[in-house]
Amino acid sequence: MVWLDIAVSFCIAMLSGLGVGSGGLLVIYLTLLSQVPQLQAQGINLVFFLFSAGSSMLSHLWRRHLILPLCILMIACGIPGALAGSYLAGILPAAALRRLFGGFLVIAGGLTLTRNAKRRASFGIFHKPPYINR
């Protein structure tokens, strides 16, 4: 079972490097296939995210693709949001956390599909959007 966990973690890390929202995939794998409790799966996901985000940040810093004022704003909003989320996760039952997380994934996926459909419609399916560098 450990080898399966390692293989799945590696695949999810690769998807994360490609820009796929892998946090949801890891929580789904941990809760449904590994039978990890929801709150513990979310904690593992946060640790996984720290390494993924840290390596991405270093890469963007090296290439100078970060907008520093935006980063500061995101940190200033993210810390209170993380504290509030941690508090809520501690007082809400696991079933409510599952429903909220599932709803969040459905909404995020729907928004992504809608946004991508609009882009494809405006640029054409086979036309490369101007914001993608070759």
Side-chain angles (χ1 to χ4, degrees):
M1 191 66 169
V2 172
W3 287 107
L4 178 62
D5 291 339
I6 291 170
V8 169
S9 298
F10 180 77
C11 291
I12 290 174
M14 283 187 358
L15 288 172
S16 176
L18 295 171
V20 176
S22 59
L25 298 175
L26 183 61
V27 172
I28 290 168
Y29 167 74
L30 289 172
T31 55
L32 295 180
L33 298 177
S34 294
Q35 303 300 315
V36 174
Q38 179 77 23
L39 193 57
Q40 186 178 356
Q42 288 174 323
I44 292 169
N45 182 51
L46 289 175
V47 172
F48 183 85
F49 173 75
L50 287 175
F51 289 102
S52 173
S55 63
S56 295
M57 187 181 75
L58 288 175
S59 172
H60 287 293
L61 275 172
W62 181 258
R63 295 178 186 171
R64 298 179 186 193
H65 288 175
L66 291 179
I67 303 167
L68 191 58
L70 182 60
C71 291
I72 292 169
L73 176 65
M74 291 173 72
I75 291 169
C77 294
I79 290 173
L83 293 173
S86 175
Y87 174 74
L88 286 175
I91 62 172
L92 291 175
L97 286 175
R98 276 195 197 96
R99 284 190 208 106
L100 286 170
F101 187 70
F104 169 75
L105 290 178
V106 169
I107 291 169
L111 290 172
T112 301
L113 287 174
T114 303
R115 190 176 329 130
N116 287 340
K118 288 179 183 177
R119 283 185 189 149
R120 273 190 238 107
S122 65
F123 291 116
I125 292 176
F126 299 108
H127 183 272
K128 183 178 83 69
Y131 53 84
I132 296 179
N133 296 325
R134 286 192 183 192

